Amino acid sequence: MPKVLYEKRDQIAYITLNRPDKRNAIDTETDELLFEAWTEFREDPDVRLAILTGTGDKAFCAGADLADHVDGWLEGGPGLGRGALERGFAGGITRGLHRTNKPIIAALNGWVIGGGVELALACDIRVAADDIQFGFYHMQRGMHFGDGGIVRLVNTCGVGIAMELELMGEPITAQRAKEIHLVNRIVPRADLMAEVEDIAAKILRNPRVAVESAKETILEVVGRPLDDQLRLECLYSYSTMGNPEIVERKDAFLERRDGVGRG
């Protein structure tokens, strides 16, 4: 079986890490397969949304396969970081291919460890089984996040939480992850995929232009001064108003045919 599974169902791409014997850790081959999957997802006009998960029930992703990566990093010298700038972790979705406007939902079905946290944070919405944990053990091995983990922790959870999680290097429960906004929702394991697919369905019922523009706007305003944020929101939002689907949905609302927002 391939180390990454890619399946299209209607408008959804299901991307599955498939190394359950290695807790879905990402080696060089898996990284290349993920690059192919993210590229296909981004370029396929018939696909609007991706759901990312892992095979098995032990781990969503255990991060980088240390048997495959660390020696190369140690031998990389002072130019290692500069050489890695163009493409981040997990096929480049953490840096490089991260600017797709199509939504990505992570179904966290097991432990999320090290680079697996970076991968989860690179997704737009995260739903976790309520019995999993998040491991920050990379700190205990002398490494900190370098592929978007710190940036997205700060943007998602705040400076204090990022300091706590990165500097201590301790695991946290799904419940704690929900409290600090690291995940959007936690559900019983048996309900995980149904919950994720329900979220996907609710996104897909909305016009594509609006969904993709909203995601792009959110990513653009993060970290900017307030006046810049307000300007960008205005420019992006009003640029979607030429979408003819808006007229159709306006008429359906005025003629009381849509049933949206009427209780």
Side-chain angles (χ1 to χ4, degrees), residues 132-174:
I132 72 168
Q133 295 196 52
F134 295 75
F136 292 79
Y137 301 120
H138 51 282
M139 283 298 294
Q140 298 184 31
R141 299 186 177 100
M143 299 174 280
H144 68 70
F145 284 145
D147 289 301
I150 287 179
V151 172
R152 293 185 174 97
L153 270 179
V154 171
N155 290 340
T156 304
C157 305
V159 172
I161 295 297
M163 290 286 191
E164 174 189 336
L165 298 180
E166 271 292 85
L167 303 189
M168 290 178 62
E170 290 289 314
I172 62 171
T173 64

Side-chain angles (χ1 to χ4, degrees), residues 190-246:
D191 300 335
L192 178 62
M193 194 54 69
E195 183 77 9
V196 168
E197 289 177 336
D198 180 65
I199 293 171
K202 289 174 179 174
I203 293 172
L204 292 174
R205 73 184 176 190
N206 298 324
R208 179 174 192 160
V209 171
V211 167
E212 295 187 4
S213 179
K215 174 178 173 178
E216 185 177 12
T217 305
I218 291 166
L219 293 179
E220 282 288 350
V221 302
V222 170
R224 294 180 184 266
L226 176 60
D227 284 353
D228 290 347
Q229 292 177 326
L230 293 171
R231 181 174 179 273
L232 285 166
E233 181 185 21
C234 177
L235 291 173
Y236 277 105
S237 175
Y238 284 95
S239 70
T240 69
M241 296 306 293
N243 179 15
E245 196 169 356
I246 292 176

Side-chain angles (χ1 to χ4, degrees), residues 207 240-255 257:
T240 69
M241 296 306 293
N243 179 15
E245 196 169 356
I246 292 176
V247 177
E248 298 168 12
R249 296 204 176 202
K250 178 205 70 174
D251 291 344
F253 171 74
L254 294 176
E255 295 165 13
R257 292 186 283 108

